[in-house]
Amino acid sequence: MIRLMRLMFLPGTLQLLLICLLCGPLLSQPVSFNFHQLSTGAGLSDPGVRCFAQDKYGYIWIGTLNGLNRFSGYEVKVFKHKANDRWGLAANYTPALVTDDKERLWIAQPNGICQYDYTGSRFLFAPAGRNFSIYKMIRGKTSVLFLATSKGLVSFNTGSMAYSFVEDECDEGSKLLMSRSVNDICLGGGGNMYIATDTGLVVYNAGTHKARLIFIKAFAGRGVSRLAFDTTGNLWAVSGINGELLFRCDSTFSSVDIYHPGNISTGSYRDNRIVSLLFDDAGRLWAATARTGLCLFDKYSNSFIPYRHDPFQPGSISGDLTSCLFQDKKGYIWLGTETSGVNYFNPAASFFTAIQPSCYQHPTLPHYWGRAAGEDKNGNLWLGTASGIARCDPAGKTFKLFQDTSGEGRSIQYNSVRSVLCDDDNIWIGTAQGLNLYHLSTGKMDRFGIKDAVPLSFFWNIAKDAAGNTWFGSRDGFYCYNAKQHKFENLHRNTHLSAYCDNNTYCIYKDSKGLLWFGFGYKGLMQFDPASGRTKCWAKKEGDSRSLSDDHVTSIAEDSTGIIWVGTMGGLNAYNPSTGLFIQYLNGSGSASEKTSALLVDKHNRIWFAADKGIMMLDEGRKYFKSFDISDGLPTLDFNNQSAFRMRNGYFIYPSLMGFVIFNPDSRIEQDTVRDFYISSFKISGNAGPEDLNPEEIKELHLSPDENFFSLEVTALNYETPAKNWYAYKLDPFDKEWIYTKDRKASYTNVPGGDYTFHYKTSVDGNSWNIPEKLMGIHVATVYYKSWWFRTLILVLVCFGIYRFYAWRIHQKEKLLSLQGKAYSLEREKAKVMYESLKQQLNPHFLFNSLTSLSSLITSSPADAKKFLERLSKIYRYILKSRDSEKVILSEEINLAGTYTQLQKTRFKDGLQLEVKVNEECLDRSIAPVTLQNLIENAIKHNIIDISSPLVVEIIAEGDWLMVRNNLQRKGIVETSNKQGLESMRSLYYFLSGRQIEVVDDGQYFTVKIPLL
């Protein structure tokens, strides 16, 4: 049974289809896709793409006309043929790629196949014995690949790397069929292989080695170019030179549906054709075409939906000249083109969609700059732009534009639309120069102006209160349209609002209690209770973190707990009516944005708003912010500083500078996402690691002592939003804490020798790390002088050295003590000798003078002679008594000095005088024996003594010193002086006290200072 169908390509592109389906019954289906591009500017070796494959790690391999590429989501690694490189590619042209049952990667080359060896990053080439071109490779049974070539079907044994031509295994009836050039191949059930040739569709059974040509009358004589099986086992095939027929049949070919793709080869594209077919994991059929981009088959309407390059839409595919299709393990679809590189997208993750102008739709959205949105009772979307307002009709899937083009006043007042409100049968439209009211039932457009008590002003916002009245916020103030009286009220007569009604009003919001909130430009926030007429105002207070953060209010919303959220140009604010206080969310305190506008709350009580760069969401626990940017599918980062719109089905519409962004916030479920991640690069001191190491397979790494400066690069295979990947790592025990960063390179310097464990993991949410980690062991060898045996040896040597040094020191100390003892003994003996010499020096001289004086006294005065003799005997008795003593009491020495002076007065009369000035505390101190007698004798010896000019000797105690001083009356010649008296005394006192006597001659007095012992 053959059924004929006319297959139509719907006009327009992704965004136009979106407009239609968003408003119609297909709203729940994925209708828009976020296309990512990979071009030569991003590192691709050539814009002409021929094939794709995904290896065991998840990297995407891309074969081009000039080179092989491996893509990680971050960067492209290019492999090219190099002359005389036995381990490089055999050629740069790569027409086909495949992975075998052991997950090895195979690369088709002219005249052969290469296997990629991950260890060493090299290619093992298996040249073919015959000259042929390979168009496609598929995995067969164990260790077998099947090749679609220009010389027929070829099998390749991956173990022996040997080629076999299938025709050589066939009977005579099948040889001719199997020798024809093969355009495409795919495996079916029962051991059958389906082969597309220019002769037609051939079925080959590998068990019986028999082939047969399938005859289908509708395309008899036509070649078959492409094949694909759907999820129900039906075979789809493209037939015709230009691919103008597409047919679907069951495995027995008893039922065949033939489709005529209406305008795939008509018009200016006579050479257009389907170049690749793909059924994705959801069972949808995708067709890549040579001229009209990517097409998605809609089984409900038996029509193709085209996705084409649109220069007006940056998010469309990069070019219409497509070449190949591939779906990876995560479900991403990869589209190769002839001249513009690679496009890839996730067909099941269309969170953001956009309504934008299109060159393929007339009429289309009138301008990129979206300003306001609304939804009428019929489900039409009203989209205000910088160049008029457009109504999207879901029934006709068309735009109707309302623009002031004639200047006759029959349309909107001004094309710059700033606000929209759909109110039952009425559509209020605020422009930059006045208000309009469109009546759905009659199609009539009313204009309001000065005559209606409203100015031709800039109308920012329109809202309704609980009583059905409509409020308008404008640059010149706010206004109220009374629903019962059908006219605008004069708010200057309102005693409660007259003081505020002229404020530049950016937004007006009605909360769950019926209260109205007004956001003013640079004048803060106001609350108005229509029932009581009471007002309350808030403004920014410098230095007060519990006040409003900024006075320029852009948007207001209420969450499910009654908290009022206020967006400003200086941060997000949460007002708690119970406490009367604000919580500020500013840049640096969790939020990544100062500018906040277009506030909306979803059913999970999460806060959504337009930010400085994109859209942000605050979680329901108010703990963290989630940001969305172009990598998430937004067409731009720039959004209107006003209000967003909630559709009746819960979808949000955010006006932007690149059209209108639409999404279902309730479908966004935050959860931990585990992605494939590996160590993709290892460097030592900035240089690549050993070539024989495969970074992805490293479980343990051994480094020499001089390789302790190293870095590891971790790659998470997130092709959709790689810039949002977070990385966490820790080198235990070198790092004490986990390091969280968006930088995927972990660098370490001067790592001590030892055993370490490198922990690493990734997340798309920097606030959630409930994700399994991976480990890699790292051993850094210890340099010999830091090893345990070397340190033990050094310790032993040091201990031995210390012992030897200590023994030597003890010996030296003993020698020193012996020498010091000998020196002390010698010094003592020397002092004693000098002391005895001093005493002996005193005795003869003194004795001679004393005997002379005694002789004269015996004759002249026997009584005085008797006293003299008693004193002399007293002196010698003292000398004999103290001759064995080193020290004597000072008082005894002073008494002796007095006795000695009395003897000398026998000769000198009053020409010699002795004065003692010693306090009682010093009398118990000691000095060396006969010290004072020697000093007095020394003074007598060196000075002139005369009654008229007496010699005065003073003995004075000062602290620890005893001073013996005499006035100077020097003799011209001192006959008996040997100059040794004072030197002997100096040595004696140094020995006894460690201090030397001091001798001072100032010309008037001669002073000797003796240390008291």
Side-chain angles (χ1 to χ4, degrees):
M1 178 180 66
I2 299 177
R3 295 187 295 273
L4 298 179
M5 302 180 184
R6 194 68 176 173
L7 193 64
M8 299 301 296
F9 279 81
L10 300 180
T13 58
L14 162 67
Q15 284 74 19
L16 299 179
L17 174 70
L18 165 67
I19 298 170
C20 304
L21 297 183
L22 276 174
C23 304
L26 300 181
L27 181 62
S28 61
Q29 299 183 14
V31 295
S32 179
F33 308 103
N34 181 24
F35 288 97
H36 301 264
Q37 284 82 35
L38 182 64
S39 65
T40 53
L44 195 66
S45 63
D46 191 88
V49 178
R50 286 292 172 265
C51 55
F52 298 96
Q54 188 172 29
D55 65 17
K56 59 183 178 180
Y57 303 113
Y59 295 108
I60 299 297
W61 292 77
I62 306 164
T64 71
L65 296 173
N66 185 29
L68 177 64
N69 306 260
R70 189 185 76 173
F71 182 49
S72 66
Y74 289 96
E75 58 193 6
V76 179
K77 184 176 182 179
V78 176
F79 301 88
K80 284 197 173 185
H81 168 72
K82 295 180 182 178
N84 302 320
D85 182 3
R86 60 175 297 199
W87 302 116
L89 283 174
N92 287 329
Y93 177 57
T94 307
L97 294 165
V98 72
T99 56
D100 64 15
D101 55 309
K102 296 181 180 178
E103 297 188 295
R104 293 173 297 189
L105 178 68
W106 297 88
I107 303 100
Q109 302 270 262
N111 301 319
I113 299 177
C114 284
Q115 177 199 342
Y116 179 67
D117 181 10
Y118 293 95
T119 303
S121 186
R122 58 184 185 173
F123 297 89
L124 308 177
F125 183 57
R130 293 167 59 178
N131 186 21
F132 55 75
S133 298
I134 301 174
Y135 303 134
K136 186 175 181 179
M137 300 189 295
I138 64 171
R139 183 191 304 178
K141 61 182 181 180
T142 304
S143 301
V144 173
L145 300 178
F146 286 101
L147 319 179
T149 77
S150 59
K151 297 299 177 71
L153 185 65
V154 176
S155 68
F156 177 77
N157 189 299
T158 58
S160 63
M161 300 187 78
Y163 299 86
S164 298
F165 283 82
V166 174
E167 65 172 298
D168 296 337
E169 303 171 356
C170 296
D171 57 23
E172 291 299 325
S174 301
K175 278 184 178 292
L176 182 61
L177 289 174
M178 300 307 295
S179 65
R180 303 291 176 86
S181 176
V182 178
N183 298 322
D184 199 2
I185 51 175
C186 60
L187 292 175
N192 290 327
M193 184 176 297
Y194 296 81
I195 305 170
T197 72
D198 290 340
T199 303
L201 176 64
V202 175
V203 179
Y204 168 73
N205 188 283
T208 62
H209 303 294
K210 292 183 179 295
R212 61 190 177 97
L213 181 66
I214 303 300
F215 177 77
I216 299 176
K217 183 178 180 180
F219 52 89
R222 295 173 179 267
V224 177
S225 58
R226 297 293 179 264
L227 300 171
F229 275 101
D230 63 21
T231 54
T232 62
N234 293 320
L235 177 69
W236 293 67
V238 177
S239 177
I241 298 175
N242 288 326
E244 63 268 21
L245 287 179
L246 177 66
F247 68 87
R248 175 179 61 190
C249 57
D250 60 15
S251 58
T252 64
F253 299 99
S254 59
S255 175
V256 179
D257 296 327
I258 299 176
Y259 299 87
H260 293 273
N263 51 352
I264 198 170
S265 59
T266 59
S268 60
Y269 296 140
R270 296 299 304 176
D271 58 345
N272 193 23
R273 64 192 186 281
I274 295 176
V275 297
S276 183
L277 289 176
L278 172 71
F279 280 95
D280 65 20
D281 52 12
R284 292 166 296 196
L285 174 62
W286 299 84
T289 70
R291 289 286 187 177
T292 52
L294 177 65
C295 300
L296 172 63
F297 179 66
D298 179 14
K299 62 183 179 181
Y300 300 105
S301 62
N302 283 324
S303 60
F304 271 112
I305 303 167
Y307 295 87
R308 303 186 62 182
H309 171 65
D310 189 337
F312 290 174
Q313 299 172 2
S316 64
I317 64 174
S318 59
D320 289 337
L321 281 66
T322 62
S323 57
C324 54
L325 282 168
F326 172 77
Q327 187 171 34
D328 66 22
K329 300 170 187 176
K330 296 290 186 181
Y332 288 86
I333 292 179
W334 299 76
L335 172 67
T337 70
E338 292 285 353
T339 59
S340 54
V342 175
N343 296 265
Y344 59 97
F345 63 98
N346 189 341
S350 307
F351 184 64
F352 292 110
T353 57
I355 302 176
Q356 297 173 302
S358 172
C359 63
Y360 296 106
Q361 180 82 357
H362 300 286
T364 186
L365 194 68
H367 201 278
Y368 278 104
W369 191 353
R371 299 280 185 70
E375 182 182 19
D376 66 23
K377 63 181 181 181
N378 300 320
N380 296 314
L381 289 181
W382 290 77
L383 307 174
T385 74
S387 185
I389 189 168
R391 182 186 67 189
C392 175
D393 177 8
K397 301 176 182 177
T398 58
F399 280 118
K400 178 177 176 58
L401 304 185
F402 296 85
Q403 295 173 302
D404 182 18
T405 56
S406 64
E408 297 178 0
R410 289 179 293 184
S411 186
I412 59 176
Q413 303 237 39
Y414 195 67
N415 285 334
S416 180
V417 176
R418 286 291 180 170
S419 52
V420 177
L421 176 67
C422 297
D423 177 20
D424 295 330
D425 189 53
N426 301 320
I427 310 297
W428 288 97
I429 304 169
T431 75
Q433 287 190 13
L435 279 172
N436 292 83
L437 179 62
Y438 180 75
H439 300 275
L440 291 175
S441 57
T442 63
K444 179 184 176 184
M445 182 76 74
D446 294 337
R447 292 187 170 197
F448 296 92
I450 303 299
K451 61 180 178 59
D452 304 294
V454 289
L456 298 177
S457 183
F458 208 111
F459 283 86
W460 299 106
N461 188 255
I462 308 174
K464 286 187 67 175
D465 64 17
N469 301 316
T470 306
W471 294 77
F472 305 85
S474 80
R475 182 178 290 172
D476 295 317
F478 58 85
Y479 303 87
C480 178
Y481 183 80
N482 190 297
K484 294 181 179 179
Q485 299 178 7
H486 300 288
K487 69 177 182 178
F488 285 91
E489 296 182 9
N490 187 346
L491 298 180
H492 286 93
R493 297 177 181 175
N494 187 311
T495 56
H496 303 289
L497 298 177
S498 60
Y500 312 104
C501 65
D502 291 332
N503 289 347
N504 183 0
T505 306
Y506 263 73
C507 56
I508 304 173
Y509 179 79
K510 179 182 72 69
D511 68 14
S512 59
K513 298 177 181 178
L515 303 177
L516 290 181
W517 297 78
F518 294 79
F520 299 132
Y522 305 106
K523 289 192 177 181
L525 177 69
M526 183 183 76
Q527 178 198 82
F528 172 60
D529 184 351
S532 65
R534 289 193 297 268
T535 60
K536 188 175 183 180
C537 296
W538 295 267
K540 177 182 179 180
K541 296 179 182 178
E542 291 295 339
D544 186 356
S545 61
R546 306 309 296 270
S547 70
L548 194 65
S549 65
D550 190 79
D551 286 335
H552 190 160
V553 177
T554 61
S555 181
I556 305 169
E558 181 184 15
D559 69 18
S560 61
T561 65
I563 300 297
I564 302 297
W565 292 84
V566 183
T568 73
M569 297 300 285
L572 178 65
N573 301 261
Y575 175 72
N576 189 332
S578 300
T579 64
L581 298 175
F582 287 88
I583 297 176
Q584 298 178 357
Y585 296 85
L586 307 177
N587 192 0
S589 62
S591 171
S593 178
E594 289 290 340
K595 183 184 77 172
T596 56
S597 61
L599 290 172
L600 289 174
V601 182
D602 66 19
K603 72 176 185 180
H604 301 290
N605 204 32
R606 297 175 298 190
I607 311 300
W608 296 78
F609 59 93
D612 289 326
K613 294 182 178 180
I615 291 176
M616 297 190 72
M617 179 198 73
L618 176 60
D619 77 307
E620 61 271 29
R622 310 300 185 246
K623 295 179 180 179
Y624 66 88
F625 289 85
K626 175 76 174 178
S627 62
F628 301 89
D629 54 29
I630 290 176
S631 66
D632 296 290
L634 292 178
T636 180
L637 298 178
D638 302 313
F639 288 82
N640 233 8
N641 296 332
Q642 295 172 236
S643 300
F645 177 72
R646 182 199 309 271
M647 297 173 62
R648 285 195 291 271
N649 59 13
Y651 278 61
F652 289 175
I653 301 180
Y654 273 71
S656 79
L657 270 62
M658 289 295 292
F660 294 86
V661 174
I662 304 179
F663 61 96
N664 179 8
D666 301 328
S667 68
R668 180 75 187 189
I669 304 299
E670 299 299 318
Q671 58 185 356
D672 298 331
T673 304
V674 179
R675 302 180 184 273
D676 296 327
F677 61 97
Y678 306 95
I679 292 176
S680 57
S681 174
F682 175 73
K683 293 183 178 181
I684 301 172
S685 299
N687 301 314
E691 293 184 357
D692 59 345
L693 289 179
N694 179 19
E696 288 80 6
E697 294 289 351
I698 295 176
K699 301 299 181 185
E700 191 167 313
L701 195 62
H702 292 268
L703 302 175
S704 62
D706 60 345
E707 294 177 333
N708 62 345
F709 287 70
F710 58 86
S711 63
L712 303 108
E713 188 173 75
V714 182
T715 297
L717 298 179
N718 175 9
Y719 295 107
E720 187 173 18
T721 56
K724 293 186 179 294
N725 285 342
W726 281 84
Y727 294 88
Y729 60 86
K730 180 176 71 169
L731 184 64
D732 189 27
F734 187 83
D735 293 325
K736 301 304 180 184
E737 302 290 341
W738 280 87
I739 297 170
Y740 299 92
T741 176
K742 282 194 171 184
D743 185 358
R744 56 198 181 104
K745 181 182 291 185
S747 298
Y748 292 94
T749 59
N750 200 25
V751 177
D755 293 313
Y756 301 91
T757 302
F758 184 66
H759 304 253
Y760 60 104
K761 55 186 176 180
T762 70
S763 174
V764 293
D765 186 351
N767 299 291
S768 177
W769 289 99
N770 186 25
I771 291 173
E773 64 182 60
K774 289 185 178 182
L775 307 176
M776 184 179 75
I778 299 177
H779 173 76
V780 180
T782 305
V783 67
Y784 75 91
Y785 54 79
K786 293 183 179 180
S787 60
W788 68 268
W789 62 265
F790 183 82
R791 290 181 175 178
T792 302
L793 177 61
I794 292 300
L795 180 62
V796 171
L797 291 175
V798 169
C799 291
F800 180 74
I802 291 173
Y803 168 75
R804 292 296 301 166
F805 177 75
Y806 179 74
W808 177 81
R809 287 286 296 167
I810 293 296
H811 178 67
Q812 291 299 111
K813 188 173 183 180
E814 289 175 350
K815 288 175 63 178
L816 179 61
L817 289 174
S818 177
L819 291 174
Q820 287 177 340
K822 291 180 180 180
Y824 179 79
S825 297
L826 291 174
E827 188 69 24
R828 181 186 179 93
E829 291 300 322
K830 175 185 175 184
K832 285 183 176 181
V833 169
M834 292 175 66
Y835 174 59
E836 291 299 325
S837 174
L838 187 62
K839 290 192 289 184
Q840 293 300 324
Q841 193 179 59
L842 171 66
N843 291 340
H845 188 263
F846 171 65
L847 181 60
F848 174 77
N849 290 333
S850 297
L851 291 175
T852 302
S853 298
L854 179 62
S855 176
S856 63
L857 286 175
I858 292 174
T859 306
S860 61
S861 178
D864 290 336
K866 183 180 179 181
K867 292 179 181 179
F868 183 90
L869 183 59
E870 288 176 356
R871 290 171 181 156
L872 179 62
S873 62
K874 187 183 293 186
I875 289 173
Y876 273 96
R877 222 177 4 255
Y878 176 81
I879 292 174
L880 291 174
K881 177 183 174 183
S882 61
R883 64 181 179 179
D884 295 325
S885 302
E886 290 182 348
K887 298 182 288 183
V888 294
I889 300 301
L890 179 58
S891 59
E892 295 178 358
E893 189 72 8
I894 290 175
N895 290 335
L896 182 63
T899 303
Y900 176 76
T901 303
Q902 289 298 322
L903 286 177
Q904 292 297 340
K905 279 192 171 187
T906 303
R907 293 176 54 201
F908 303 114
K909 307 300 181 188
D910 290 335
L912 177 63
Q913 297 178 13
L914 177 64
E915 296 179 3
V916 179
K917 301 176 182 178
V918 178
N919 52 35
E920 291 184 2
E921 291 82 3
C922 295
L923 293 177
D924 293 331
R925 304 288 294 271
S926 301
I927 61 173
V930 300
T931 298
L932 297 181
Q933 291 87 330
N934 277 302
L935 291 176
I936 295 171
E937 176 66 22
N938 190 63
I940 295 171
K941 185 190 299 181
H942 290 83
N943 291 277
I944 299 172
I945 301 175
D946 188 74
I947 294 175
S948 61
S949 179
L951 175 65
V952 180
V953 178
E954 297 176 277
I955 301 174
I956 305 169
E958 288 187 357
D960 289 337
W961 295 87
L962 185 67
M963 238 180 10
V964 180
R965 182 174 68 179
N966 63 272
N967 56 322
L968 280 174
Q969 302 175 146
R970 295 184 187 276
K971 292 180 179 179
I973 298 174
V974 181
E975 297 179 355
T976 61
S977 177
N978 57 10
K979 308 294 184 182
Q980 296 299 313
L982 288 176
E983 288 301 320
S984 298
M985 189 177 291
R986 192 188 306 272
S987 299
L988 175 63
Y989 273 91
Y990 182 74
F991 170 74
L992 294 175
S993 67
R995 296 181 291 173
Q996 294 186 347
I997 66 173
E998 297 181 11
V999 179
V1000 180
D1001 184 352
D1002 61 5
Q1004 185 178 0
Y1005 292 98
F1006 184 81
T1007 306
V1008 178
K1009 294 180 71 175
I1010 303 165
L1012 290 173
L1013 305 178

